[in-house]
Amino acid sequence: MKFFIDTANLDQIREAKDLGVLDGVTTNPSLMAKEGISGHDRVMKHYVDICEIVQEGDVSAEVISTNYDEMIKEGEFLASLHPNIVVKVPMIKDGIKAIRYFTDHGIRTNCTLVFSAGQALLAAKAGASYVSPFIGRLDDISTDGLELIEQIRIIYDNYGFDTEILAASVRHPMHIVQCAEIGADVMTGPLSAIMALLKHPLTDSGLAQFLADHKKAAESNS
Ligand code: E4P
């Protein structure tokens, strides 16, 4: 499973990259706003900065327009910024049309704001490179987000769709583990959820014991 980080914070992206497990980045307009990035030129430069940190992995950059013609213009510009840009398009009627256009013109897409298996099926039919079901936001409204990942996995496997399932709105380490069990192709979440995978109390106590024993042995031999 590929690990993407869901942020526009350059320090966090660098930290994930340094850890050696970063396969890509997803952003959205709210995440860009959170970093105080606004204005066309600054936003575009920020996408390029992210791509340069990630180097090898895909970086999702979201269109702001909601009508077909504007989405095409915006998406083509975003895709021209860097070869690793994936154009993120919302799951609306014009978005599906735009995904079909981008697919036919060799531009990769991430269909975002997906909350049902039917929406995921439509995104795959339009040729989306990635589909982003938001599992955390479903959990927030007492609906099982992971069940949606299972449904999409079955549907895509039934028909051999190439669209990658990008489990989004991941909130904690168990989301990551459960998505991996189900067979999501990618997960995107905060750096904190990835770092939490490191943690186990038996690892901490085991390491403390190993180091204490090593020190004791070294002292008794000196
Ligand atoms: C996906 O690409 C979205 O940016 C993201 O995962 C949304 O997550 P949130 O529900 O934590 O805002």
Side-chain angles (χ1 to χ4, degrees):
M1 181 168 64
K2 286 187 257 182
F3 276 20
F4 286 5
I5 185 176
D6 194 33
T7 186
N9 182 289
L10 300 184
D11 289 337
Q12 288 190 13
I13 296 168
R14 275 190 207 98
E15 193 178 338
K17 175 74 182 170
D18 285 350
L19 191 62
V21 299
L22 184 67
D23 299 304
V25 171
T26 51
T27 62
N28 63 41
S30 306
L31 292 170
M32 294 295 268
K34 193 173 160 197
E35 298 307 316
I37 310 295
S38 64
H40 181 266
D41 291 356
R42 276 193 76 206
V43 169
M44 297 305 130
K45 182 183 175 308
H46 204 73
Y47 286 137
V48 174
D49 290 346
I50 293 173
C51 289
E52 282 170 0
I53 297 171
V54 178
Q55 290 170 16
E56 298 296 314
D58 288 343
V59 174
S60 288
E62 188 159 342
V63 297
I64 308 301
S65 323
T66 52
N67 80 73
Y68 175 77
D69 290 332
E70 291 299 315
M71 277 186 198
I72 300 304
K73 259 192 254 161
E74 218 187 314
E76 284 181 332
F77 187 80
L78 287 168
S80 73
L81 290 174
H82 194 281
N84 294 352
I85 291 279
V86 173
V87 179
K88 208 173 179 189
V89 180
M91 167 44 78
I92 54 176
K93 186 178 170 194
D94 282 36
I96 288 297
K97 283 171 64 183
I99 288 171
R100 168 49 59 200
Y101 172 92
F102 290 134
T103 304
D104 292 345
H105 290 79
I107 293 175
R108 291 174 311 131
T109 54
N110 173 356
C111 183
T112 190
L113 290 165
V114 166
F115 294 93
S116 77
Q119 291 179 324
L121 179 56
L122 207 48
K125 290 285 292 177
S129 317
Y130 296 100
V131 65
S132 286
F134 280 31
I135 61 176
R137 292 193 193 185
L138 281 170
D139 288 355
D140 289 345
I141 57 156
S142 308
T143 302
D144 191 348
L146 290 163
E147 209 172 280
L148 175 59
I149 303 294
E150 279 172 356
Q151 274 183 296
I152 301 172
R153 183 72 284 157
I154 291 168
I155 291 169
Y156 284 10
D157 289 351
N158 280 347
Y159 297 100
F161 284 119
D162 291 334
T163 304
E164 292 189 61
I165 302 173
L166 197 174
S169 187
V170 158
R171 299 273 165 81
H172 51 74
M174 286 316 293
H175 267 159
I176 302 178
V177 172
Q178 288 159 332
C179 283
E181 284 175 345
I182 295 166
D185 300 290
V186 192
M187 77 82 202
T188 192
L191 180 61
S192 59
I194 296 175
M195 297 312 269
L197 291 172
L198 279 168
K199 284 288 163 201
H200 196 286
L202 291 178
T203 304
D204 296 341
S205 58
L207 180 61
Q209 186 67 57
F210 287 156
L211 296 179
D213 290 344
H214 171 78
K215 193 169 171 225
K216 219 185 297 167
E219 281 165 2
S220 65
N221 286 333
S222 64

